[in-house]
Amino acid sequence: MSADATEGLDAFRLRARSWIRDNLKPVAAGASAGVLRNNSTDDEELAQIAHERELQRLLFDAGFAGLCFPVAYGGQGLTPAHQQAFNEELTGHEFPVRLQAPTISPCAAVILDFGTEEQKLAHLPAILRGDELWMQFLSEPGGGSDVAGAQTSAIRDGDEWVLNGSKVWTTGAWWSDWGLCLARTNWDVPKHRGLSVFMLPIHQTGIEVSRIEMLNGTKEFCQEFMTDVRVPDTDRIGEVDDGWTVGIRWMFHERMLHNSPYVTIPAGDAHAGIGASSVLRVARESGKLDNPWVRDLVGEARMLQLTSEALQQRLTEGMRSGAMSDQSAAIGRLLSGVVSTRTNTIAYEIAGGDSGAWTDDDGAITDCGSDFLMRQVSTIGGGTTEMARNVISERVLGMPRERTLDRDVPFRDVPRGGQS
Amino acid sequence: MLLNLTSDQEFFRDTTAKFLNEHAAPTEIRRLRDEPDGFVAEYWQRGAELGWTSLLVDEVHGGGSISGSGLLDLALVADEFGRHAAPGPLVPTNIVAGAISELSPDRHARVLSELLAGTSVASWCHLEPRPHDGLDDLVLDVRVDGSDLVLNGTKRPVESAGRASHLLVTGRTGGGFTQVLVAADTTGITVRPMHTIDITRRFSEVTFRDVRVPADAVLGEVAGADAQVERQFQQALVMANAETVGAMEFALGMTLEWAFDRYSFGRPLASYQELKHRFADMKTWLEAGHAISDLAAEAVSAGSGEAGELVSAAKAFLGQYGPELLQDCVQMHGGIGLTFEHDIHLFLRRVALDRSLHGTPAQHRQRIASIAMDVGKAA
Ligand SMILES: Cc1cc2nc3c(=O)[nH]c(=O)nc-3n(C[C@H](O)[C@H](O)[C@H](O)COP(=O)(O)OP(=O)(O)OC[C@H]3O[C@@H](n4cnc5c(N)ncnc54)[C@H](O)[C@@H]3O)c2cc1C
């Protein structure tokens, strides 16, 4: 059943609703709440990933994958409104969460924006079918905020490139298939002018993936050590030394994640993280809903969530109509980080003493404390909120740029600190 | 304010903006500090000619909207009022005119026409003094006595009551709300002026002691006005929110200019990252404020089921971050920001006042929580 171009939004919604009901299992509210919780073994996680690939395949076969991707690349050629309707209908059901970010956006979105016809045909249908899981190879031990300061080097050798260096903080690289990698192809020009972007399979000789334990025990963070990794030139995305053009768009997709037309994610906040509904659950299950101070905090969480959603909507409309520049995405990124950390703190506050020490039968309170320890994930991952503030002040408000020592000098002469 | 206005809305908005640039300049606002009513009669009448008082009134009764939604058009006016810290009883007059138009246009035709013309002003007597200052905690008693109604109780703060010809009083008859329109000079009504942080708005405490009115003074049903009161409350919130956003926007723009012009240690303030990051925060609060205030205005205008929650979210957000933004603007100005001579306080006053009127952020957060609990949002 492929989407008929003339099918109206309402008809699409009804078709999506009945398909979702027939094919996807309902999930309990809050089943996946929390911040990168350490609650499954590796085998369990691999089984979940296999299941999510099947779910993605199911969506694909039913004509519900890649709603806003062109038909030629396995998508449905529909509008953001269709994706929004689908996401609304999806609320309360299982879905392939691990295939959304970063695989479908930013990675597939970047391939769609900059890939050659062959590259798009090779990867986009495979991604939408659930056959390829992608990672962003951006951050390095030497720095993540200064993305354009990447030091992973790519040296041309005939029709191939030879990559050496290290990427880090990739979340889930140990179970992923492909990496979208920003590397330095020219050290003799200023930093933004010597970058190129490559696609590479993660599990190959020459790439060693090591897992890093996070402070809550989760081992999702990975570091990749690349030694003489050979990448055919046909797997380069964008022009040689012009990787920053790709990078800018890449960052844009990353900041817009919460409102991306490409991403299939249930509307509302039940899917992940700590949202207003988690706060309400914690308040209810701890029996404190009658306390005015608890209601105040429950109301604050809901206020922040409604406002954050409204902002994303306004920014999307503003950027689509041209009333706002693409840089305005940083405004949404900043608020979502601030809202997440505050909401996390609210849940921790309401849980009270039970948030620091709990038992297995504490319901929604369980792991509130670990979530709190992991709170800053939402203001670091996806680019820090400080970087968002830099973008807003300098690019949106036009305030003077910070003085830097890396502009207009060959990258090899840029001062570098000690590497962690 | 709304990103996509129709050209008619743009024109409407520009007309009000131009008028306010001329007649509500900061020097004029400072002068109005000593004016008893806080505004000049002719100013209000000319504003009424521009459409400030007619947007919630049905076309057949002399009103009409620009876009099809009078409330959204009115939000544009309120936004301009915020940008100019403009004087005038915008909220009470519109609430009362809208209620009359909807419920009793013929009985109160003369009052309505005077409100529309801007020749008289009305007040909405809604919230009450402590300890009954909760949002739903109205205790003013409206008793049925034969063919009359008798009012007993106190309302405050009531905007423009000192100047109003008529008062729309929201009270309780048993388990339900009753609304009555009374002439302000009716026997038993005492209007006692209050102090206020605003320069141009005037507030009073209004006491009703055995105030007797005929039954046809009722707007709507006796003990059956709950939905209407909620609607009026939401409309007032939409106006207050739009006004706060307008004031935030103007103050932020003004402070940004200052940051470029003002030098310290041989550099403009705008070049310091610490200050840049605070501007980024303020810009984010402003855009978020626009977003939630517009979304709520649209929901209220459409009468959607989410209107109550959204408009409280907007009020709670703006009540918290509006004053925060303005205080930070004062901070960025340094000493001059604390003077009467500087303009920034005009906007600080407006935003601080709007925070405390129609329910504080804490009251609205609790209202949101009750709504979330009722619908079992999270299950
Ligand atoms: C959950 C999670 C998932 C992630 N997934 C991935 C992934 O899949 N792929 C990937 O490549 N990366 C990933 N990251 C890494 C993330 O993008 C980086 O951690 C982030 O960009 C910050 O880089 P850094 O850690 O090197 O910190 P640094 O850049 O060293 O920054 C340290 C601190 O200094 C501040 N700072 C730095 N420069 C400035 C400046 N100019 N002005 C003001 N403040 C500044 C930062 O805001 C931060 O607070 C992930 C991170 C998290 C938490």
Side-chain angles (χ1 to χ4, degrees):
Chain A
M1 180 165 43
S2 83
D4 176 1
T6 61
E7 181 185 29
L9 197 55
D10 292 341
F12 170 83
R13 181 188 288 276
L14 291 178
R15 186 161 64 84
R17 182 178 302 167
S18 74
W19 184 85
I20 288 169
R21 210 179 293 141
D22 293 346
N23 292 279
L24 301 178
K25 285 199 209 80
V27 288
S32 56
V35 184
L36 295 174
R37 283 184 184 170
N38 180 25
N39 50 13
S40 53
T41 65
D42 282 358
D43 285 344
E44 284 166 350
E45 184 165 12
L46 289 174
Q48 286 163 17
I49 290 154
H51 178 60
E52 287 185 21
R53 286 186 196 258
E54 282 165 23
L55 290 178
Q56 183 68 31
R57 179 67 194 234
L58 217 54
L59 285 170
F60 182 83
D61 289 342
F64 289 118
L67 295 179
C68 290
F69 281 83
V71 176
Y73 309 125
Q76 299 297 324
L78 296 172
T79 67
H82 288 84
Q83 185 66 58
Q84 177 63 28
F86 191 82
N87 291 351
E88 283 164 16
E89 295 303 325
L90 193 59
T91 301
H93 292 84
E94 61 175 348
F95 76 106
V97 56
R98 290 180 183 78
L99 283 96
Q100 306 307 317
T103 297
I104 289 181
S105 190
C107 294
V110 166
I111 295 172
L112 181 64
D113 285 347
F114 294 98
T116 62
E117 191 62 15
E118 291 75 31
Q119 290 170 338
K120 290 192 260 192
L121 288 171
H123 294 290
L124 295 178
I127 286 174
L128 296 178
R129 262 199 315 269
D131 293 344
E132 291 180 6
L133 278 157
W134 283 65
M135 278 287 119
Q136 312 183 69
F137 280 21
L138 280 174
S139 304
E140 299 189 359
S145 298
D146 184 10
V147 189
Q151 296 171 50
T152 291
S153 90
I155 295 172
R156 186 144 199 168
D157 181 19
D159 287 343
E160 291 183 332
W161 294 85
V162 182
L163 272 63
N164 279 284
S166 176
K167 296 287 177 178
V168 72
W169 316 135
T170 48
T171 309
W174 66 279
W175 43 255
S176 296
D177 309 307
W178 284 81
L180 193 62
C181 180
L182 184 70
R184 183 151 311 273
T185 38
N186 190 339
W187 295 69
D188 299 320
V189 292
K191 70 172 182 180
H192 292 105
R193 286 188 250 138
L195 296 163
S196 306
V197 177
F198 300 93
M199 308 185 287
L200 39 90
I202 295 175
H203 303 287
Q204 57 168 300
T205 46
I207 300 186
E208 184 196 329
V209 178
S210 82
R211 295 169 66 183
I212 300 172
E213 182 172 358
M214 301 183 87
L215 61 83
N216 67 346
T218 304
K219 290 198 179 124
E220 288 306 285
F221 260 175
C222 295
Q223 179 165 8
E224 299 79 28
F225 300 92
M226 293 179 273
T227 314
D228 294 334
V229 175
R230 294 200 157 257
V231 179
D233 189 49
T234 48
D235 282 350
R236 169 174 49 80
I237 297 243
E239 299 304 314
V240 174
D241 290 351
D242 192 31
W244 193 239
T245 302
V246 179
I248 288 171
R249 216 34 217 166
W250 186 343
M251 303 300 116
F252 168 73
H253 286 301
E254 175 148 50
R255 288 188 198 120
M256 285 302 287
L257 196 60
H258 294 282
N259 221 15
S260 167
Y262 299 128
V263 172
T264 295
I265 206 152
D269 71 339
H271 53 275
I274 308 277
S277 53
S278 334
V279 168
L280 184 55
R281 261 193 312 277
V282 170
R284 180 174 289 140
E285 291 184 24
S286 53
K288 296 179 186 166
L289 263 180
D290 288 338
N291 298 347
W293 69 266
V294 172
R295 288 183 180 221
D296 190 318
L297 292 173
V298 167
E300 181 184 348
R302 182 83 183 136
M303 165 197 94
L304 289 173
Q305 181 170 323
L306 290 169
T307 304
S308 191
E309 287 169 6
L311 177 65
Q312 300 295 346
Q313 205 176 313
R314 173 179 168 87
L315 296 172
T316 307
E317 280 169 27
M319 289 187 281
R320 204 171 284 155
S321 73
M324 296 178 182
S325 76
D326 279 1
Q327 304 286 355
S328 306
I331 298 174
R333 191 278 168 267
L334 174 55
L335 192 73
S336 72
V338 172
V339 164
S340 288
T341 49
R342 175 64 189 151
T343 306
N344 192 320
T345 304
I346 287 174
Y348 188 61
E349 175 70 18
I350 294 175
D354 294 339
S355 57
W358 63 93
T359 60
D360 283 339
D361 48 11
D362 277 342
I365 294 161
T366 305
D367 275 340
C368 267
S370 317
D371 288 342
F372 181 71
L373 298 182
M374 294 285 281
R375 193 186 76 169
Q376 300 306 112
V377 158
S378 57
T379 46
I380 297 175
T384 69
T385 37
E386 285 78 20
M387 296 312 293
R389 288 185 174 98
N390 285 347
V391 173
I392 298 167
S393 55
E394 296 179 359
R395 307 303 181 82
V396 179
L397 296 175
M399 301 177 84
R401 304 280 291 269
E402 287 302 301
R403 201 170 78 89
T404 56
L405 303 177
D406 60 0
R407 229 160 271 281
D408 305 323
V409 287
F411 185 72
R412 66 170 78 254
D413 297 336
V414 170
R416 277 185 276 278
Q419 318 242 320
S420 56
Chain B
M1 204 49 227
L2 306 169
L3 285 174
N4 354 305
L5 299 182
T6 64
S7 54
D8 286 348
Q9 281 178 313
E10 294 269 12
F11 180 77
F12 173 63
R13 178 198 183 111
D14 288 349
T15 313
T16 284
K18 268 189 216 123
F19 178 79
L20 291 177
N21 285 341
E22 250 174 72
H23 300 280
T27 44
E28 169 68 1
I29 294 174
R30 283 196 190 78
R31 192 190 68 75
L32 291 170
R33 172 161 67 161
D34 304 319
E35 190 78 24
D37 296 328
F39 66 94
V40 181
E42 195 205 339
Y43 160 88
W44 188 246
Q45 282 169 38
R46 291 188 55 189
E49 284 163 22
L50 297 180
W52 293 356
T53 56
S54 54
L55 292 161
L56 297 184
V57 173
D58 204 286
E59 220 164 305
V60 295
H61 305 123
S65 73
I66 311 298
S67 65
S69 163
L71 185 64
L72 294 184
D73 301 335
L74 189 52
L76 294 177
V77 177
D79 185 80
E80 286 300 331
F81 265 56
R83 283 167 198 267
H84 292 84
L90 189 70
V91 175
T93 301
N94 276 293
I95 294 294
V96 178
I100 295 175
S101 157
E102 197 171 332
L103 298 165
S104 211
D106 301 328
R107 165 74 178 79
H108 299 295
R110 193 183 52 77
V111 181
L112 184 57
S113 73
E114 285 176 10
L115 293 179
L116 286 172
T119 48
S120 72
V121 163
S123 293
W124 181 23
C125 300
H126 180 213
L127 296 182
E128 303 194 0
R130 58 180 187 276
H132 299 288
D133 53 352
L135 295 182
D136 300 317
D137 192 13
L138 308 184
V139 296
L140 182 137
D141 182 51
V142 182
R143 179 166 50 87
V144 181
D145 184 24
S147 62
D148 287 347
L149 296 172
V150 182
L151 281 58
N152 276 290
T154 305
K155 294 288 182 177
R156 81 178 220 182
V158 182
E159 186 178 345
S160 289
R163 169 67 191 268
S165 68
H166 285 78
L167 308 172
L168 173 62
V169 189
T170 303
R172 190 177 286 285
T173 308
F177 291 143
T178 303
Q179 297 208 103
V180 179
L181 190 75
V182 295
D185 57 6
T186 308
T187 311
I189 297 179
T190 315
V191 177
R192 183 172 152 222
M194 299 172 77
H195 303 286
T196 171
I197 54 173
D198 204 33
I199 293 191
T200 62
R201 295 201 171 166
R202 304 288 179 260
F203 295 87
S204 303
E205 181 181 80
V206 184
T207 308
F208 300 81
R209 180 165 301 158
D210 293 326
V211 175
R212 186 168 284 273
V213 293
D216 68 355
V218 174
L219 290 192
E221 304 292 320
V222 172
D226 293 51
Q228 171 67 16
V229 172
E230 172 67 21
R231 192 154 56 243
Q232 289 167 200
F233 187 48
Q234 292 183 6
Q235 289 169 342
L237 290 170
V238 166
M239 284 184 260
N241 290 339
E243 187 174 270
T244 294
V245 174
M248 287 166 73
E249 175 128 42
F250 188 82
L252 180 58
M254 188 171 133
T255 309
L256 191 59
E257 251 174 60
W258 158 264
F260 276 94
D261 290 346
R262 178 81 172 172
Y263 275 62
S264 117
F265 300 92
R267 288 163 54 177
L269 297 182
S271 69
Y272 288 97
Q273 193 184 46
E274 205 278 335
L275 302 188
K276 284 160 63 181
H277 279 196
R278 278 158 63 188
F279 273 99
D281 285 336
M282 292 195 281
K283 172 70 174 168
T284 301
W285 301 338
L286 171 66
E287 289 301 327
H290 270 294
I292 189 70
S293 149
D294 287 357
L295 194 67
E298 279 166 7
V300 173
S301 167
S304 104
E306 286 154 0
E309 187 182 32
L310 284 170
V311 81
S312 279
K315 181 66 163 72
F317 185 85
L318 290 165
Q320 182 175 346
Y321 291 98
E324 212 48 57
L325 182 148
L326 259 299
Q327 298 289 20
D328 225 17
C329 288
V330 171
Q331 178 70 19
M332 303 259 183
H333 277 86
I336 198 160
L338 291 166
T339 63
F340 190 73
E341 179 61 27
H342 199 274
D343 292 345
I344 195 78
H345 70 95
L346 304 176
F347 303 93
L348 172 63
R349 284 171 198 284
R350 193 44 68 92
V351 163
L353 178 69
D354 283 335
R355 178 192 201 275
S356 73
L357 294 179
H358 315 296
T360 62
Q363 287 177 312
H364 281 281
R365 289 194 295 264
Q366 296 209 26
R367 200 167 109 106
I368 296 165
S370 309
I371 295 170
M373 283 155 56
D374 280 353
V375 294
K377 276 257 139 60

